């Protein structure tokens, strides 16, 4: 749920401090403001290494499936073999499981 943010807080810091915070926010794939709110409210911030590569793979598979569906709707193809897709998704699932196991420890 998205709450309306009505208060603004201004904080002064050195350029080095800002760059350090910005770097951590980028690593966590968050905006600087979201990162600061999460950190100051003592939310656990978990950075999962390797996740961007996995999401890139998933997006590619999704694009390919969308293209196949488009061709099917145009009656340009009738049969689709998804064995390779299922194998790729299984590999991604295994990678995600390994990452989740590492983060839970």
């Amino acid at each position: 749920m998205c709450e309306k943010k009505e208060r603004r807080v201004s904080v002064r810091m050195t350029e080095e401090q800002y760059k350090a915070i910005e770097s951590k926010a980028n690593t966590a794939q968050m905006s600087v403001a979201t990162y600061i709110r999460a950190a100051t409210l003592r939310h656990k911030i978990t950075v999962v290494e390797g996740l961007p590569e996995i999401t890139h793979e998933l997006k590619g598979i999704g694009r390919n499936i969308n293209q196949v569906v488009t061709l099917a709707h145009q009656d340009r193809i009738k049969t689709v073999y998804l064995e390779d897709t299922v194998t790729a998704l299984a590999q991604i699932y295994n990678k995600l499981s390994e990452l989740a196991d590492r983060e839970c420890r």
Side-chain angles (χ1 to χ4, degrees), residues 77-81:
I77 59 173
K78 298 288 182 200
T79 305
V80 178
Y81 299 99

Side-chain angles (χ1 to χ4, degrees), residues 30 32-45:
M30 302 168 91
V32 171
T34 302
Y35 181 85
I36 290 172
R37 276 192 298 275
T40 57
L41 294 172
R42 299 192 187 273
H43 292 177
K44 181 179 179 184
I45 298 173

Side-chain angles (χ1 to χ4, degrees), residues 60-97:
I61 291 171
R63 277 191 299 274
N64 290 341
I65 290 173
N66 285 337
Q67 290 170 354
V68 168
V69 169
T70 299
L71 292 173
H73 283 288
Q74 296 171 352
D75 288 329
R76 293 175 63 187
I77 59 173
K78 298 288 182 200
T79 305
V80 178
Y81 299 99
L82 297 174
E83 291 84 9
D84 292 341
T85 303
V86 171
T87 301
L89 288 171
Q91 290 172 346
I92 291 171
Y93 176 80
N94 290 334
K95 288 179 190 176
L96 284 171
S97 293

